[in-house]
Amino acid sequence: MTSDLLAPLDLAFWNMESDRHPMHLGALGLFAARSPTAGAHAADLLAARAAAVPGLRLRIRDVWQPLAFGGATRESVPDFDPLDHVRLHAPTADFHATAGRLMERPLERDRPPWEAHVLPGEDGVSFAVLFKFHHALADGLRALKLAAGILDPLELPERAPRPVEPPRGLLSDVRRLPGLVPDLVRGALSDVGRALDIGASLARSTLGMRPTSALACAPSGTRRTAGVVVDIDDVHRVRKSAGGTVNDVLIAVVAGALRRWLDERGDGSKGVAPRALIPVSRRRHHTGHPGNRLSGYLIPLPVHEADPLGRLDRVRTAMVRNKDAGPDRGAGAVALLADHVPALGHRLGGPLVGQAARLWFDILVTSVPLPGLGLRLGGNQLTEVYPLAPLAPGQALAVAISTYCGRVHYGLVADAEAVPDLDRFAHAVSAELETLLGVCGH
């Protein structure tokens, strides 16, 4: 049985979870069914293939030993049964409605924290698979790799092997402890200095940014999901006409959609500039690290700005400012502070950190990379895929974005009681891109 300690950020995700706020990622994939029994066959394939993917056998266990007191490890389960994780449901006419109810339920913490739910369509020509991975087990990149391991094989170009970190034991050799003390002291002082540096940069970069109540809610523990598909070529047309990056355009679309939605429901967009957390992967700088390596940018979404191109320009300016500061020094770098908190601190303070998320940002807008090639399961083509982000306590909406086979997929997750009209927001996303195309002359 193998095991390794959770990295500090993984441990934070594990400990900030509550029954009403599970910390799992999701992805809802829609498949074109080649036969009415394709969904049942897909469930059998997923269960059979999961047994051969080592990462899917890993569970998380608490550690109460010296030098890791209050921590947790990932360890392989010798009696792993994929049938505990792959579930075939009754046919449904609404994949997103079913996915929302399934996203409400926390993963079982005494087993490998992932699930695959197969949802046959009532039409007989489609089915969906909802993957759920705990954020402590995988970030978006690793979740993609785990899911790809149980889909049909793809012929991908070979990559150079990544360096592997040496295994970390839970207990150090006692004969080495005296020599380690000076190093531990120097390391602790360095950690304190680094934490203070990050904290100072956070304070400077958040000056003038205030919480907004437009996207706040009393947590109900309920979930609703929706999806929007737009053409990536349309996004490129806007980018080429108005400037900025593809990501700038996609974020500006969210800002414009929020403006439309708030005005339509009577809440009003005047003076509204919710703080959006834009996660940034730092995995390329830590290629041997198996856990989450995240920082982020924090920007005010210009919902109050009436001009669509003005909104895009404000987003572009804010993103340039964040990129110039770097992911280690912007307001979103608060995630890096997790590296400087001892394991027991994460265990005791995890729930408080979760509750404090709404004081830090108002809405999550994250991008999840997907392969450019089409994916299949049992020969059935994956036609749409919607990434689904966890919802922080007190927040009403989270947005995740992926590009797949030439189309951009917005995956929306909301508190179902606070946002019963999530479909209206989804429609506003499509309408906002059409508006941008119009003002750009397309």
Side-chain angles (χ1 to χ4, degrees):
M1 180 182 299
T2 61
S3 66
D4 68 301
L5 283 172
L6 261 64
L9 188 54
D10 302 334
L11 190 60
F13 287 136
W14 186 245
N15 286 309
M16 71 173 60
E17 181 172 64
S18 68
D19 289 341
R20 289 194 170 191
H21 288 280
M23 289 302 299
H24 52 250
L25 311 169
L28 180 65
L30 276 55
F31 294 82
R34 299 169 64 185
S35 74
T37 61
H41 179 54
D44 291 339
L45 277 178
L46 290 174
R49 293 174 178 175
V53 179
L56 296 179
R57 305 175 67 95
L58 298 177
R59 66 180 172 186
I60 296 175
R61 296 291 299 272
D62 294 336
V63 175
W64 300 105
Q65 299 179 12
L67 302 185
F69 191 77
T73 67
R74 297 182 189 88
E75 65 177 25
S76 182
V77 177
D79 56 349
F80 170 70
D81 185 353
L83 295 179
D84 290 335
H85 303 266
V86 179
R87 294 156 192 179
L88 177 64
H89 294 258
T92 178
D94 190 334
F95 294 131
H96 276 289
T98 305
R101 290 190 293 270
L102 292 171
M103 285 294 287
E104 294 176 4
R105 306 176 188 173
L107 295 165
E108 296 189 38
R109 293 170 69 92
D110 59 346
R111 294 201 290 221
W114 68 273
E115 293 173 352
H117 297 269
V118 181
L119 314 174
E122 284 186 352
D123 56 13
V125 297
S126 64
F127 68 91
V129 179
L130 173 67
F131 289 105
K132 294 167 56 178
F133 295 95
H134 199 287
H135 217 328
L137 179 70
D139 60 9
L141 290 171
R142 181 167 171 79
L144 170 63
K145 182 178 179 180
L146 292 173
I150 47 181
L151 297 176
D152 292 354
L154 279 175
E155 294 296 330
L156 298 175
E158 292 187 2
R159 295 182 178 180
R162 292 179 173 181
V164 178
E165 288 185 343
R168 293 170 290 176
L170 298 182
L171 293 173
S172 299
D173 189 330
V174 294
R175 292 171 298 181
R176 297 176 56 200
L177 286 177
L180 283 176
V181 170
D183 291 337
L184 290 173
V185 171
R186 283 193 294 269
L189 291 175
S190 176
D191 279 352
V192 170
R194 175 71 176 133
L196 290 174
D197 184 48
I198 294 171
S201 70
L202 295 177
R204 289 192 298 270
S205 56
T206 54
L207 287 175
M209 300 183 74
R210 297 291 183 266
T212 178
S213 60
L215 295 171
C217 69
S220 69
T222 60
R223 294 293 180 271
R224 186 182 301 274
T225 75
V228 186
V229 181
V230 299
D231 196 318
I232 188 63
D233 289 340
D234 288 341
V235 177
H236 281 297
R237 291 185 183 98
V238 173
R239 177 188 61 81
K240 290 176 182 177
S241 296
T245 68
V246 166
N247 203 40
D248 294 340
V249 176
L250 297 177
I251 295 171
V253 165
V254 173
L258 285 171
R259 178 182 175 84
R260 291 171 179 269
W261 178 63
L262 290 172
D263 286 343
E264 287 175 3
R265 69 195 326 234
D267 293 337
S269 58
K270 183 178 180 181
V272 175
R275 301 155 304 165
L277 174 64
I278 316 293
V280 177
S281 175
R282 300 173 67 248
R283 185 173 293 278
R284 63 185 180 275
H285 299 302
H286 301 268
T287 53
H289 200 292
N292 286 277
R293 302 301 304 179
L294 294 172
S295 182
Y297 299 143
L298 194 67
I299 71 169
L301 291 181
V303 173
H304 60 287
E305 171 62 58
D307 176 25
L309 292 181
R311 288 194 292 270
L312 176 55
D313 184 64
R314 286 175 182 264
V315 167
R316 179 173 60 244
T317 300
M319 289 297 288
V320 167
R321 185 182 302 115
N322 273 278
K323 291 172 184 176
D324 287 345
D328 290 359
R329 301 189 64 81
V334 70
L336 301 182
L337 291 174
D339 291 339
H340 307 280
V341 176
L344 188 59
H346 283 296
R347 183 169 299 277
L348 297 176
L352 295 176
V353 171
Q355 294 296 327
R358 63 174 295 184
L359 302 178
W360 172 34
F361 64 95
D362 301 302
I363 183 173
L364 177 73
V365 182
T366 183
S367 296
V368 181
L370 289 175
L373 301 175
L375 300 172
R376 295 177 182 270
L377 178 57
N380 303 286
Q381 181 70 43
L382 176 64
T383 58
E384 301 173 31
V385 56
Y386 300 97
L388 303 172
L391 200 60
Q395 295 181 344
L397 178 66
V399 180
I401 309 169
S402 284
T403 300
Y404 173 70
C405 289
R407 300 196 299 173
V408 178
H409 295 73
Y410 284 84
L412 313 176
V413 177
D415 184 290
E417 292 189 8
V419 189
D421 56 343
L422 185 61
D423 289 341
R424 292 175 63 183
F425 177 73
H427 177 75
V429 170
S430 299
E432 180 62 17
L433 181 58
E434 289 297 324
T435 296
L436 280 168
L437 283 168
V439 297
C440 289
H442 297 286

